[in-house]
Amino acid sequence: MSEPEIMNAENDLRIDGFSAVLDDYEREGRLRHLPPHRAGQGLIDLTGNDYLGLAARQEEFREEYARRFGEASMTSSASRLLATDQKIYADYEGLLEGLYGRPALLFNSGYHANMGITRALALPGTVFLSDKLIHASAIDGLRMKGTECDRWRHNDPGHLRKLLEKYAGKAERMVVIAESVYSMDGDLAPLEELAALREEFPNMLLYIDEAHGFGVFGKYGLGLAEERGLLGKIDILMATLGKAGASAGAFAVTSRRMKDYLVNAARPLIFSTALPPANVAWSHLMTEKITGMEKERRHLRELASRLRAGLRDAGGGSEISGSQIVPFITGDARKATRLAAKLEAEGILASAIRRPTVPPGGERLRLSLNALLSEIDIDNITEKLKE
Ligand SMILES: Cc1ncc(COP(=O)(O)O)c(C=O)c1O
């Protein structure tokens, strides 16, 4: 057998332009790398989104999984619209429908869901009004050619109202997009005000991304909308399963008619192989566990308040958080990376977040807490950051 030819693209016209981009990133201190393997090294991990600690505890649930779902296939071999095996998907959507009181539709990821749903809603006559800090997955959907959109100042319903007034008479429908818990600052959306605006403007649809609220807020962990008693006021509620859900995938909860529409119009659902049934079965089990994890949710909340209180005087802006995500803003990419390296040397993993994930000046460490941490861990983290 002949040796495969090795492509050497270090100095090549084909790669030069891309190399120049990498050089720029390096100069600006925002070059990304895939990190080394660090799991199982006993580090305190504040980088992940395993908010309830379910992913870390998965060993405990393997037996039950094997007993109930052990036969589930490792592949769907087709898009959801063509797959012959529908039972596990339908069962899980049924579980979600029972919890949320409205139909649910599974997607392969939150990225797919946000991209696919925004594209599907972008009929002529639709105007999107998004909070300035919504996630890249929704922004990528809105960036497609021909989409009309405007942005309101982060968490400012007064500004949103002005935009609604501006577009109400012109647009056929106005889709307002916000996250319940913002992924970088951990601050909470003014859901009550958004719901009140929805009452006022009959052609406004409210679309809430609960990626960081699912599992963490609400008596049953259904999200911030559950906690605030607003589930019935949200037209499309999207939640991801790769965070507190300890799995992968996402779902949207909506009306029956909108679900039917998305099945016909959400391209990532139609044109991508569905998640493996084995994975959906795991999501089913994890969701059942989540509904009973009130104690963990309370503990997580206490840890977050403790960390925020501890960092109050340290000047990192941690007080803006209202959740398990606590920012420690350095305002400079290099400072954030240096601080992350220093913490790692002391056994604490925290992500340095830089442009374009956050706007210039918002560079920070993102401290993402989980229910397996103790008060002692929090005090240790606080002390290290204050140093
Ligand atoms: C707010 C928000 N929405 C959507 C996503 C995308 O979800 P997924 O990781 O399932 O693609 C993420 C995270 O990655 C997120 O933070």
Side-chain angles (χ1 to χ4, degrees), residues 30-347:
R30 59 187 184 112
L31 187 64
R32 299 177 202 253
H33 297 282
L34 297 174
H37 180 78
R38 290 174 295 193
Q41 296 175 4
L43 297 165
I44 295 183
D45 186 2
L46 307 179
T47 61
N49 304 299
D50 180 21
Y51 301 129
L52 296 174
L54 267 174
R57 290 173 51 197
Q58 57 190 282
E59 212 44 53
E60 288 172 41
F61 310 109
R62 282 197 204 281
E63 201 186 301
E64 183 180 354
Y65 176 82
R67 185 166 28 85
R68 292 175 56 193
F69 302 107
E71 305 288 299
S73 171
M74 293 296 166
T75 178
S76 63
S77 302
S79 136
R80 180 75 192 284
L81 273 66
L82 298 173
T84 50
D85 181 357
Q86 291 283 333
K87 184 173 181 329
I88 285 181
Y89 304 91
D91 283 353
Y92 183 40
E93 286 170 347
L95 171 73
L96 292 168
E97 179 164 351
L99 291 169
Y100 283 91
R102 275 194 308 165
L105 179 63
L106 280 172
F107 285 85
N108 287 2
S109 71
Y111 191 93
H112 274 210
N114 277 341
M115 266 288 273
I117 297 171
T118 46
R119 293 315 307 140
L121 297 179
L123 290 178
T126 299
V127 171
F128 291 92
L129 302 174
S130 76
D131 183 287
K132 268 203 169 152
L133 295 189
I134 56 163
H135 191 256
S137 48
I139 293 176
D140 287 0
L142 299 182
R143 266 191 191 153
M144 297 241 184
K145 210 166 149 229
T147 310
E148 201 178 338
C149 61
D150 216 331
R151 300 192 301 167
W152 35 291
R153 279 191 297 276
H154 177 56
N155 269 355
D156 182 347
H159 188 210
L160 170 61
R161 164 187 285 285
K162 289 209 174 82
L163 294 183
L164 287 165
E165 283 164 355
K166 175 175 163 191
Y167 290 103
K170 298 186 226 166
E172 211 169 297
R173 68 194 72 77
M174 304 181 286
V175 181
V176 169
I177 311 183
E179 288 171 28
S180 60
V181 179
Y182 283 87
S183 57
M184 291 300 137
D185 287 336
D187 53 342
L188 308 182
L191 284 189
E192 287 82 355
E193 279 108 317
L194 300 185
L197 287 169
R198 179 184 176 274
E199 294 296 304
E200 212 176 305
F201 292 89
N203 61 343
M204 167 182 151
L205 281 92
L206 185 53
Y207 178 170
I208 300 292
D209 179 339
E210 287 266 23
H212 300 274
F214 177 69
V216 176
F217 287 90
K219 184 167 168 28
Y220 298 103
L222 305 183
L224 192 64
E226 185 213 352
E227 181 152 314
R228 302 275 164 89
L230 295 170
L231 284 176
K233 309 278 182 198
I234 294 170
D235 298 281
I236 299 176
L237 181 153
M238 196 287 294
T240 60
L241 296 162
K243 303 183 194 299
S247 185
F251 60 85
V253 174
T254 189
S255 63
R256 183 138 326 267
R257 204 69 185 138
M258 180 61 84
K259 175 174 172 175
D260 291 344
Y261 175 66
L262 293 176
V263 166
N264 284 276
R267 295 172 66 85
L269 178 87
I270 301 169
F271 295 109
S272 185
T273 302
L275 286 172
N279 170 266
V280 176
W282 179 256
S283 296
H284 191 121
L285 184 62
M286 291 297 98
T287 302
E288 287 176 354
K289 300 296 169 203
I290 283 172
T291 58
M293 294 182 81
E294 246 189 299
K295 191 162 72 61
E296 284 80 356
R297 280 188 271 283
R298 203 172 326 114
H299 177 59
L300 183 56
R301 237 173 251 213
E302 285 161 7
L303 293 178
S305 326
R306 193 179 181 96
L307 180 62
R308 285 194 298 267
L311 291 177
R312 194 169 296 133
D313 307 322
S318 58
E319 64 283 354
I320 48 181
S321 158
S323 70
Q324 75 284 4
I325 301 164
V326 180
F328 190 77
I329 297 170
T330 61
D332 176 273
R334 285 182 204 287
K335 266 194 209 159
T337 344
R338 267 203 309 272
L339 190 53
K342 189 162 170 281
L343 285 180
E344 185 168 349
E346 310 224 25

